[in-house]
Amino acid sequence: MRTNSFIKKLVVLGTVGSLLAPSCFYPKLQAAERFEIHFDGMSIPISIKELIDWSNGEEEANSELASWLNLLGFKERKGLAKFLSTPLVRDKSMARQILRSWSGRKLLDEVSDLILMDEDSSGESVLDTLENLLNEKDEVTTFDLLNSLSVKAIHIDLDGWIEVANNWRSELNKQQKLISDLISINEKSVKKEESHLLPYEIKETEYELIPLIVSHRNEPLNLEVWNPSFREKTRKNWVLLMPGLGGDRNHFNWLARSLSHNGWPVVVLDHPGSDSIALEALLKGRLPLPGAEVIPDRIKDLDNVIQAKKLGKIDISAEKVVLMGHSLGALTSILASGVKIDDQLENRCQKVLDNLFLTNLSSLLQCQLIDITLSDWKGVENLSAIVGMNSFGSFLWQKNLDNQVNFPLFLTGGTFDLVTPSISEQLGLLLALSSSPLSRVLLIEGASHFSPIRVEGQMYQSKGKDLFNLGESIVGYHPLSVQSLLASEIIGFLEKLEENKSIPSNTNLNKGELKFHVLDKNIIEKLVKTQ
């Protein structure tokens, strides 16, 4: 069966394989003597010495051990030796910073419930051993780590891993089912939109860079202020645009320029401490992985920009503001609106983290908010709407609570987003949070979490490069086309917002090679019921 095959490979790569050595390695005296696999009431103890002998081509007569290893997927000794000698940690400085972060420790704690060192489920022995090895070696292999653990036995809870794998598969199946459900809601042929995608780059408008001194930062905030060069229409709204975790304002010049070209003043800001500089510092081992602890300062950044505009320090005539952000920038916008996190967050997080439910990586950031105090924000004055690209926050609010907001939300996402999955995040978030009939979700087939991020070198390429050169398997389908569609649909939403009208809701739309869907609350409720 495919399930059994998947579980075998999971156990092989994550546990058993880690205990076999290439021919030049032998266990130290203090290393683990055996590991035990537990499943369905059974326990299989396997001597590490016998495993090493087997991997070196010895103990050919031990048919029982060979049978167990073949069952677990080990058929080639050479492949095992190569796997075990591959570095588990290549950059010890970055590894230290990740392990010391909230997210890194939480993952280690949860994995330790399924892989026990003797009877210790705290993960402390693994962390201490790994940090000691990082002090001694530039690279650490999986074998280095497990061969240095001072324990008698390493216990693997196979039943627990099976449950995790089944939950993971279930969530992925839901995402795959979403597309077929959308097609079945509207069985008509795919509708082609008459309007054209915006060009990849509009050059007429440029921005002014303004430093804004704020009390909670050591350095000024750098603001890009985009004012329309022509004013055929006087817009009621201006836009405050915020990047996500590890993102910069220059990643969204494409959107700011398009909005400004269509008449909306735009302010784009950087968030020191959680921008690309912070990400580079992590990669070089100078700073820890930033997480939800940056949100209070991000909200203060946002508030200071709005106050500066109110005091005339930023030359923008429109009175009402649309908060717009990507990923963590979208969550910052929602929290800054004054909506309160409900008191069941800890219970929801306990369930998801216990199951290592990491098809939704944003759950780690959301659950970290349990340990973070957010000030009592009264909300943003003259807030007109929130536009969130790859937004998240569904863990923070239950559906149909009294804290639902009545201003419109326009949430965008992709069917290939494994960081903030559209079903649980964009669709779930709108149901949980919005009571406005103008709220919509834009769902783009093939788009990923990284599709909205424009980086240097994309402009003259038909497909463009993704942020980390990850390739289409991670970044999704044609990021430049996705960005052009996003700009077009966001502009359409803002146009209707000026008139206090909603954009049409429809499934199975098509622009160029992209398929997409604009969903209202009624359609979303139908989709969620089928999952």
Side-chain angles (χ1 to χ4, degrees), residues 297-483:
D297 279 344
R298 277 179 164 244
I299 294 177
K300 291 178 183 177
D301 293 343
L302 177 155
D303 184 60
N304 274 267
V305 173
I306 291 176
Q307 294 306 315
K309 188 268 178 190
K310 185 177 180 180
L311 294 172
K313 296 179 180 179
I314 301 173
D315 181 21
I316 289 177
S317 59
E319 290 300 321
K320 292 186 175 182
V321 63
V322 173
L323 300 181
M324 191 177 298
H326 175 249
S327 192
L328 189 61
L331 179 60
T332 302
S333 300
I334 294 171
L335 291 172
S337 73
V339 62
K340 306 300 180 186
I341 298 172
D342 74 58
D343 58 5
Q344 295 301 308
L345 174 61
E346 187 168 359
N347 292 336
R348 289 193 292 274
C349 286
Q350 190 61 52
K351 292 179 182 178
V352 71
L353 292 177
D354 280 349
N355 286 325
L356 287 177
F357 228 155
L358 297 183
T359 51
N360 182 349
L361 294 176
S362 72
S363 62
L364 288 173
L365 280 175
Q366 295 176 63
C367 291
Q368 189 184 354
L369 284 170
I370 297 169
D371 301 326
I372 295 172
T373 301
L374 297 176
S375 301
D376 292 329
W377 298 97
K378 297 180 180 179
V380 175
E381 188 178 355
N382 291 325
L383 177 60
S384 184
I386 290 177
V387 176
M389 295 173 284
N390 304 95
S391 53
F392 64 97
S394 64
F395 278 77
L396 307 181
W397 299 283
Q398 289 181 309
K399 184 181 177 183
N400 294 327
L401 286 183
D402 293 335
N403 63 358
Q404 286 197 335
V405 297
N406 58 9
F407 53 79
L409 296 178
F410 187 58
L411 307 179
T412 74
T415 60
F416 203 63
D417 188 345
L418 301 180
V419 179
T420 58
S422 54
I423 295 176
S424 55
E425 291 308 329
Q426 289 85 58
L427 304 188
L429 183 57
L430 187 138
L431 290 181
L433 201 56
S434 178
S435 62
S436 171
L438 306 185
S439 293
R440 296 288 185 269
V441 170
L442 169 65
L443 187 61
I444 304 173
E445 294 189 23
S448 81
H449 193 77
F450 304 102
S451 296
I453 299 174
R454 178 76 65 89
V455 293
E456 185 178 357
Q458 282 187 342
M459 179 176 170
Y460 301 109
Q461 299 182 25
S462 59
K463 293 187 178 182
K465 294 181 180 178
D466 59 87
L467 180 60
F468 300 109
N469 294 319
L470 298 173
E472 189 172 301
S473 62
I474 297 297
V475 78
Y477 181 82
H478 289 209
L480 291 185
S481 298
V482 172
Q483 291 163 18

Side-chain angles (χ1 to χ4, degrees), residues 124-134 140 144-150:
E124 291 298 326
S125 59
V126 175
L127 180 62
D128 292 344
T129 303
L130 183 55
E131 288 194 329
N132 288 335
L133 284 169
L134 289 172
V140 177
D144 290 334
L145 173 61
L146 294 180
N147 197 40
S148 299
L149 289 167
S150 299

